[in-house]
Amino acid sequence: MADVLVRSDEASSPGDLGAEALLRQAAAAGEVCDLVGAEHRTIRGDVISRIAMGQDPDVPKAWRGIRIRGADVRGPIDLSYATVDVPLAFWRCDVHGHVSLDYARIRHLDLERSHLRRGLSARHVNVDGSVLLANRVRIEQGTTLVGARISGDLSCEGSAFIAKRDEHDWAIDLDRMVVTGVFCWSHLWPARDESPEPPIWTEAHGGIRVVDARVGTLRDDISAWPKNRYLLDGFAYGRLDGRDENWAVAMRLDWLQGSEAYRPRQWRPQVVRPPERRLKPARRLLAALGHWWRADRAEVSVPRFRAQPYDALAAAYRQRGLPGGAGDIDASKRRRATSAVRTASLYPDRGGWGRLRDRLKRVRQFLWGVLAGLFTRHGHSPWRTIAALGALVLLGGLLLSVIGRDGFGNATARALGAVAPIVPVSPEAVDEPGTVDRFLPPALTALALLLTVLLVSGLTQRLGR
């Protein structure tokens, strides 16, 4: 780091003018403005904005950027729609005003150990370098990077992000963000693993939205994500990186399902219930059934299952050389899809037979998902269907021999002929066929046909991978 030009206690001007004069002098010389331990540390935010945009007559050019350490910044720092050709670094600064970088173009931003009391807004900002919100940064009133384009890295290691009102608001909003390098959302660990020092925890007191965002590499700690208070819809990353304990498939699946469980404030429907009336139990039951059948939009629960987060995570495991973990993630995706079909209660506003067809379609999808998961693991273990066909032959032979009073060998041959009609078997005819002898073989044939369809579907999915 460059040498400090002048200390604040050496400035001749008292109060705020001394600190601001030191900032102008350091910026013009390309040095660091060090105000740590100084008596006068207050700098106005509009002074920093004018120097950054090159509009201060005393500072024609901040050659190496604006680098301030230990300042007390009063007032907002407004760089909206501005082009800042120099890096911005605020180290150990206490910023009391709002920091706005909306639609700006900057070179680099570093807020190490700084405290932003009124939030950071950087909607659609273009950053030619990196954004470092790491190492004990504390940002209150929310952090917004909606639509940001960052050519370098975005680091949030060991920092705290606090929402504006409560935990149902966004503590950090990364909607439609694009990061070319590494997006780091992890704890700040010591440089050496054997170091006894504990890590600096990353905290989010509120929700995290990473919707339709794209990053080159995701480096995170699963424990750094707030439990069930984040959204990952459309979050794409080219590579997954992190400590070894974060590669456990069960932990990653819990991480994805935590995104499905989150309900932000603006998504919670306002429930409008009819006025209470005293009804008899039978009428109350009929009213409840009628209300379920109507499925009013005022009291629906929106299913939050999305397949894209599972696909992105499975692709990252395959790139890492872990095909088994990728297969488990694919199977979990199909199970979650089946569960979403079962629990979804948001039906289209269709009347009569249209609504009935929609409900029957959901029931069919749910049943097929259950059978595919049970007998083929959604294409990962189609051999289970072959084992089920063999068990069906033995079960049919046992039933025909015990209930139908036939020999076990002949009964098994009859069951095999029912399950696989193309197999050339010649069982002995039954003299007096009973009810079991008449109805069990067609039932075995129907079950065998269903298992064959499942087998073909599982093999198709397996070959498709």
Side-chain angles (χ1 to χ4, degrees):
M1 185 177 294
D3 296 332
V4 177
L5 176 68
V6 61
R7 295 284 305 178
S8 177
D9 48 14
E10 300 173 1
S12 58
S13 301
D16 296 344
L17 297 179
E20 292 175 0
L22 177 67
L23 172 61
R24 290 187 175 95
Q25 189 177 2
E31 303 293 345
V32 180
C33 179
D34 193 348
L35 301 173
V36 176
E39 181 181 357
H40 304 294
R41 303 187 303 113
T42 303
I43 299 177
R44 289 173 294 173
D46 58 346
V47 173
I48 297 176
S49 301
R50 288 197 301 269
I51 295 175
M53 292 184 291
Q55 298 177 358
D56 193 299
D58 297 332
V59 186
K61 179 70 173 180
W63 296 104
R64 295 183 181 177
I66 299 177
R67 295 178 291 171
I68 309 173
R69 181 185 290 114
D72 188 6
V73 182
R74 300 284 177 170
I77 301 176
D78 190 359
L79 295 173
S80 301
Y81 300 93
T83 299
V84 181
D85 296 329
V86 294
L88 301 175
F90 301 92
W91 302 313
R92 302 190 181 189
C93 293
D94 193 357
V95 183
H96 294 265
H98 181 66
V99 179
S100 178
L101 300 173
D102 295 338
Y103 296 92
R105 187 179 188 91
I106 63 177
R107 288 292 183 88
H108 179 82
L109 179 64
D110 188 358
L111 300 177
E112 180 181 349
R113 294 176 181 257
S114 293
H115 184 185
L116 278 61
R117 299 179 181 270
R118 298 299 299 274
L120 170 64
S121 178
R123 292 181 176 86
H124 299 279
V125 66
N126 281 275
V127 185
D128 296 333
S130 299
V131 176
L132 305 180
L133 310 178
N135 194 0
R136 294 186 175 91
V137 175
R138 182 179 179 87
I139 303 179
E140 301 178 6
Q141 304 292 316
T143 303
T144 303
L145 289 168
V146 174
R149 300 292 187 269
I150 302 174
S151 300
D153 302 333
L154 172 61
S155 179
C156 302
E157 292 178 297
S159 299
F161 302 88
I162 303 173
K164 188 173 184 179
R165 287 181 291 181
D166 54 25
E167 63 180 12
H168 300 300
D169 289 332
W170 302 121
I172 180 168
D173 191 354
L174 307 176
D175 185 20
R176 292 168 290 153
M177 174 192 70
V178 177
V179 177
T180 305
V182 179
F183 169 46
C184 187
W185 183 264
S186 63
H187 306 304
L188 185 58
W189 298 89
R192 295 177 299 176
D193 293 338
E194 63 271 11
S195 175
E197 298 181 2
I200 302 173
W201 306 110
T202 298
E203 301 175 353
H205 301 277
I208 302 176
R209 180 164 69 167
V210 196
V211 176
D212 295 330
R214 300 197 312 272
V215 301
T217 300
L218 172 62
R219 180 181 300 148
D220 69 336
D221 284 319
I222 297 178
S223 59
W225 296 88
K227 184 177 180 180
N228 297 341
R229 293 203 310 272
Y230 52 89
L231 292 178
L232 302 174
D233 293 347
F235 182 31
Y237 39 90
R239 193 168 68 92
L240 186 62
D241 193 10
R243 299 170 66 89
D244 293 339
E245 58 265 23
N246 294 305
W247 286 95
V249 176
M251 295 178 62
R252 281 296 176 184
L253 291 177
D254 291 341
W255 174 60
L256 293 181
Q257 294 171 13
S259 173
E260 301 171 8
Y262 183 47
R263 296 292 188 276
R265 182 194 304 276
Q266 59 268 32
W267 288 5
R268 299 185 177 186
Q270 298 294 328
V271 178
V272 180
R273 298 184 181 279
E276 295 291 338
R277 292 187 300 174
R278 294 184 178 180
L279 300 176
K280 294 182 179 180
R283 292 188 177 182
R284 191 180 304 141
L285 177 60
L286 292 177
L289 292 175
H291 177 72
W292 170 79
W293 181 257
R294 290 192 302 272
D296 294 338
R297 288 180 178 270
E299 299 187 21
V300 299
S301 59
V302 182
R304 291 296 308 144
F305 172 76
R306 298 290 185 273
Q308 186 275 335
Y310 289 86
D311 295 336
L313 185 61
Y317 270 73
R318 291 190 181 93
Q319 187 185 35
R320 179 84 174 189
L322 301 173
D328 294 339
I329 294 169
D330 288 335
S332 177
K333 179 188 72 172
R334 298 183 184 278
R335 287 195 299 268
R336 294 293 294 176
T338 302
S339 177
V341 170
R342 178 184 60 186
T343 59
S345 58
L346 181 63
Y347 300 106
D349 190 11
R350 303 172 63 182
W353 293 107
R355 182 182 298 133
L356 178 61
R357 286 195 299 269
D358 292 334
R359 293 172 184 268
L360 293 177
K361 180 180 179 180
R362 282 173 171 78
V363 172
R364 177 178 59 81
Q365 292 175 346
F366 166 68
L367 294 177
W368 179 260
V370 171
L371 293 175
L374 180 63
F375 289 103
T376 67
R377 285 189 66 234
H378 301 285
H380 290 278
S381 301
W383 57 267
R384 291 186 178 183
T385 310
I386 301 176
L389 287 171
L392 184 63
V393 172
L394 295 178
L395 179 62
L398 182 63
L399 291 176
L400 288 174
S401 63
V402 174
I403 303 177
R405 297 179 181 180
D406 195 2
F408 181 73
N410 189 59
T412 304
R414 293 172 56 196
L416 180 60
V419 170
I422 61 174
V423 177
V425 293
S426 301
E428 298 179 0
V430 180
D431 297 335
E432 297 180 358
T435 304
V436 176
D437 298 316
R438 288 194 298 267
F439 292 103
L440 186 57
L444 293 176
T445 303
L447 291 176
L449 179 62
L450 176 61
L451 291 175
T452 304
V453 174
L454 288 170
L455 176 61
V456 173
S457 175
L459 290 175
T460 303
Q461 293 178 4
R462 184 62 179 267
L463 294 176
R465 295 191 180 94

